[in-house]
Amino acid sequence: MGSQEPTVARPPSSGGEALLPAVVISLILAVSAGIFAGSYSYAMADPTPRAVPIAVPEEPADGAPRVRAFLDALDRGLDSSIERRHVAGYQQAVDEIEDQSAFAVIRLGEGERLELDLAGAAGASVAEVLERAAPEAARSVGSEITVRDIKPLHPGDPRGLALFYMNLAVIVCGFLGAIQLGVHASRLRPWERIGVIACYSLLGGVCVVAAVDWLLGAVPLPFPQTWLILAGTMFTAGMVFTMFDTLFRRWALLPTWGLLMLLGNPSSGGAVSWPLLPSLFGTVGRWLPPGASVNAQHAAVYFPGHQHLQPYLVLAGWSALSLAVFLTGRRRRGR
């Protein structure tokens, strides 16, 4: 019998076919880094008032001109558009703040002195801008002004960023968890995958509440409402990636990152309140999962008697859309 030469394994080619995906990924990462930095800088680096709602109670005839003159001066000083929400009295103005429809109340107090009541909990960045600009505007019309915060943030979170970071944590961990399921548990059936995402979302929500409230005491969080909002946000983020994975497979991270991180988080209103965001971000942000989560959490913590249904509907809508796309895509692929 003739001898047979042994087969020698050859290393894979390192030519153009092997390098092309690496070059494409490198370019995508480089461009994404620039867009990531640019989107956050555009939204947060230099927040400028766009349209700030201020409640204006009806004043006696001799006081209204002074209030109007102050608001005109404040508008010019901020180079913005002060939205004047005229109400019947001071209590109704406070209700506007509680309903998160206004960020401040201006009225004429005793001794012809202007009084500006802010709501730091409604928007710390807006309150800071108004507090800084109000004295100069009052001096320009020959008046004195008293500024006070009638709805302050919790002392453990003086900048009002804790809710934003909580939201960021569950968003990132939500879609990272879905990515890892695709890598390490790819044989899960569709409803098993959905169930696992729901389970780690519920557990993640508890851990966030435990860290921020029970351990650090940064903000007193209303449990279980905060827990369910966090879990719902984490589940939505995981399902959004799962939807894009169904549609785009290996490139699913790109639209997920773009929707949730490049657009969603800067426009959420968590770090910079929506009246200070660019027009596009301020309009779109509340209809994306990060903005809906921040709004729901914000109302639950600081305005428990004046909550809105819209943020919950937004989260439910994104989850339902993602579920429908995922299950439909898997069914077609199974056929």
Side-chain angles (χ1 to χ4, degrees):
M1 296 179 62
S3 61
Q4 185 176 2
E5 294 183 0
T7 302
V8 179
R10 295 181 180 179
S13 173
S14 59
E17 292 184 3
L19 287 176
L20 181 60
V23 171
V24 172
I25 291 173
S26 298
L27 290 175
I28 290 174
L29 287 174
V31 173
S32 298
I35 296 174
F36 184 67
S39 65
Y40 278 73
S41 299
Y42 176 63
M44 303 179 186
D46 185 23
T48 303
R50 178 172 50 86
V52 182
I54 295 181
V56 184
E58 291 183 358
E59 296 284 350
D62 57 346
R66 182 169 298 188
V67 172
R68 285 199 299 269
F70 167 77
L71 290 175
D72 291 340
L74 185 63
D75 204 349
R76 291 191 300 270
L78 293 176
D79 192 21
S80 66
S81 176
I82 297 295
E83 181 185 332
R84 309 175 192 202
R85 302 180 66 89
H86 294 277
V87 295
Y90 180 73
Q91 186 54 51
Q92 187 175 346
V94 173
D95 290 339
E96 289 281 307
I97 287 180
E98 291 285 345
D99 198 44
Q100 302 164 71
S101 300
F103 286 81
V105 180
I106 181 64
R107 60 176 177 165
L108 191 65
E110 298 180 359
E112 302 298 309
R113 187 181 183 93
L114 292 168
E115 294 182 356
L116 180 66
D117 294 342
L118 305 174
S125 51
V126 175
E128 183 179 344
V129 168
L130 292 177
E131 185 176 13
R132 187 170 58 246
E136 179 63 28
R139 284 193 295 269
S140 69
V141 297
S143 296
E144 295 182 347
I145 190 169
T146 299
V147 181
R148 60 176 182 168
D149 193 343
I150 62 173
K151 194 75 175 179
L153 291 161
H154 191 267
D157 183 32
R159 301 292 299 172
L161 294 176
L163 302 185
F164 173 70
Y165 291 133
M166 289 164 53
N167 172 76
L168 181 62
V170 295
I171 289 286
V172 172
C173 292
F175 71 75
L176 285 182
I179 292 173
Q180 293 303 304
L181 285 180
V183 174
H184 301 290
S186 59
R187 294 187 179 183
L188 286 174
R189 287 177 289 187
W191 284 107
E192 291 174 341
R193 182 184 296 267
I194 295 168
V196 172
I197 294 175
C199 288
Y200 76 59
S201 298
L202 290 169
L203 182 58
V206 172
C207 291
V208 172
V209 172
V212 175
D213 184 3
W214 305 341
L215 181 62
L216 299 177
V219 181
L221 302 173
F223 191 88
Q225 187 175 2
T226 292
W227 166 47
L228 294 177
I229 294 171
L230 291 171
T233 304
M234 198 168 183
F235 177 79
T236 302
M239 289 310 306
V240 164
F241 173 82
T242 304
M243 172 181 67
F244 286 132
D245 182 54
T246 304
L247 297 173
F248 304 112
R249 303 305 294 164
R250 70 178 65 183
W251 301 109
L253 181 58
L254 293 180
T256 304
W257 187 266
L259 180 72
L260 299 179
M261 299 300 296
L262 297 184
L263 182 60
N265 269 309
S267 64
S268 66
V272 175
S273 301
W274 63 263
L276 305 185
L277 290 171
S279 299
L280 173 64
F281 280 23
T283 302
V284 173
R286 64 193 70 188
W287 297 101
L288 298 177
S293 178
V294 167
N295 289 339
Q297 204 68 259
H298 196 247
V301 173
Y302 290 109
F303 304 94
H306 296 75
Q307 299 187 61
H308 301 278
L309 187 60
Q310 186 219 3
Y312 300 94
L313 293 178
V314 170
L315 290 174
W318 279 100
S319 293
L321 173 64
S322 301
L323 278 166
V325 171
F326 170 57
L327 293 176
T328 302
R330 290 298 293 263
R331 192 177 299 116
R332 288 179 178 175
R333 192 173 300 146
R335 294 200 191 102

